[in-house]
Amino acid sequence: MKRNLTRKNHIIWRRLITGVVVLTIAVCLTGIGLLIKAQFPYFQARHEATRMAEKYAHVDKVSHFYWYNRDQTYFTVAGQNNKGQNVYVIIPKNGASVNVYSQYAGISAQQAVQVARNNDNVRKVQATTLGMHAGKPAWEVAYLNQQSEQCYVLLSFKTGKIIQQNKGL
């Protein structure tokens, strides 16, 4: 009788442990699937923008991809063209046009961040993106200030001057 109870307890524990392992695997696979599904738009946009940059600006080495969201959405591919020139290729989401700028025709992402740091008490830079604002290329630097408020500064790509700023959203 006692042996029967011990065997039943053993079977119950084995089933419980198996169930927990199966549940853990299912949760992990679901999480991975959701993560992949959430990242799909980014990878698709990057792929399409890179294809357009290769086709229209002859970019053969991509160094960075930016996703810019303000009044409109723009995708920017930073890279080197087949002539060895470092360029930014800015493409609106609808793909209607392609704007190509030499990286040396304006300020870099690092310089844009430095302008933001010089202008406010930046605690943490969250993103730096390049897109078009009022028909001209512009850097947007999103950051948290020392009070942990969400802030951003919009800078002219060509001059580095502040176009727009919001300290604390």
Side-chain angles (χ1 to χ4, degrees):
M1 179 89 168
K2 207 175 200 187
R3 184 173 256 223
N4 241 358
L5 282 176
T6 305
R7 184 178 167 115
K8 284 182 183 180
N9 284 344
H10 181 70
I11 291 171
I12 291 170
W13 277 106
R14 180 181 283 172
R15 286 182 181 167
L16 181 65
I17 290 171
T18 302
V20 168
V21 168
V22 168
L23 182 63
T24 302
I25 291 171
V27 167
C28 287
L29 290 176
T30 301
I32 290 170
L34 289 173
L35 183 63
I36 289 170
K37 188 175 180 178
Q39 292 293 317
F40 181 74
Y42 172 84
F43 289 116
Q44 183 180 14
R46 181 180 177 146
H47 175 73
E48 290 295 321
T50 300
R51 274 191 37 233
M52 289 185 77
E54 289 168 350
K55 182 177 180 179
Y56 296 108
H58 309 289
V59 171
D60 55 11
K61 293 178 186 172
V62 174
S63 60
H64 204 80
F65 172 74
Y66 301 98
W67 185 318
Y68 177 92
N69 285 307
R70 296 217 36 90
D71 297 335
Q72 292 182 358
T73 299
Y74 290 91
F75 306 120
T76 300
V77 176
Q80 196 173 69
N81 65 17
N82 58 3
K83 295 178 183 174
Q85 300 165 325
N86 293 323
V87 295
Y88 292 118
V89 182
I90 304 174
I91 306 159
K93 185 177 182 180
N94 64 13
S97 62
V98 175
N99 300 289
V100 182
Y101 299 94
S102 168
Q103 289 185 18
Y104 304 111
I107 66 170
S108 67
Q110 294 81 6
Q111 289 169 317
V113 168
Q114 192 57 48
V115 170
R117 288 188 187 283
N118 292 343
N119 195 51
D120 198 6
N121 292 322
V122 176
R123 183 170 63 97
K124 180 182 180 190
V125 174
Q126 295 179 309
T128 306
T129 59
L130 181 64
M132 299 292 282
H133 179 77
K136 296 182 180 178
W139 285 106
E140 178 184 60
V141 180
Y143 60 93
L144 293 175
N145 65 12
Q146 295 300 326
Q147 293 76 36
S148 296
E149 296 171 318
Q150 179 69 49
C151 305
Y152 74 88
V153 62
L154 193 62
L155 306 164
S156 166
F157 164 71
K158 294 198 180 208
T159 65
K161 291 184 179 178
I162 296 173
I163 299 169
Q164 196 174 37
Q165 183 171 18
N166 193 322
K167 294 184 180 185
L169 296 175

